[in-house]
Amino acid sequence: MISYLKLDKDSSSFNYAKRLGFPIYEVSDVEKVDEKIKELKNKNYTSVVISNELAGFSQDIIKKYRKYKDFNIIIAKQKTK
């Protein structure tokens, strides 16, 4: 299962995934990024695509989740205009 994670004020990320029906989760506080990733892992998501903007606020992406073979975090590149 795959999910997407972005900042609630971000109106441009993952619109294609939303139109395709993928679950898009939002956080309003950047300090809650790691909590939300943990929540998604506990809901049995195996992959989380996270916006580049939000990924910079996670301490666990590199330290913790790189060890997992059954859980992937994908950092989405920002759109260029």
Side-chain angles (χ1 to χ4, degrees), residues 68-81:
Y68 289 94
K69 300 288 184 207
D70 60 342
F71 185 72
N72 303 296
I73 295 181
I74 302 156
I75 301 171
K77 184 178 173 183
Q78 284 181 309
K79 287 184 180 180
T80 55
K81 293 183 179 183

Side-chain angles (χ1 to χ4, degrees), residues 21-39:
F22 286 99
I24 311 294
Y25 293 92
E26 299 178 344
V27 292
S28 57
D29 181 359
V30 294
E31 299 296 322
K32 305 284 185 186
V33 173
D34 288 325
E35 287 177 33
K36 192 61 166 181
I37 292 172
K38 183 178 180 180
E39 177 187 323

Side-chain angles (χ1 to χ4, degrees), residues 7-8 12 15 27 34 37 44 49 55 60 69 72 76 81:
L7 192 59
D8 64 348
S12 63
N15 290 330
V27 292
D34 288 325
I37 292 172
N44 295 321
V49 180
D60 290 345
K69 300 288 184 207
N72 303 296
K81 293 183 179 183

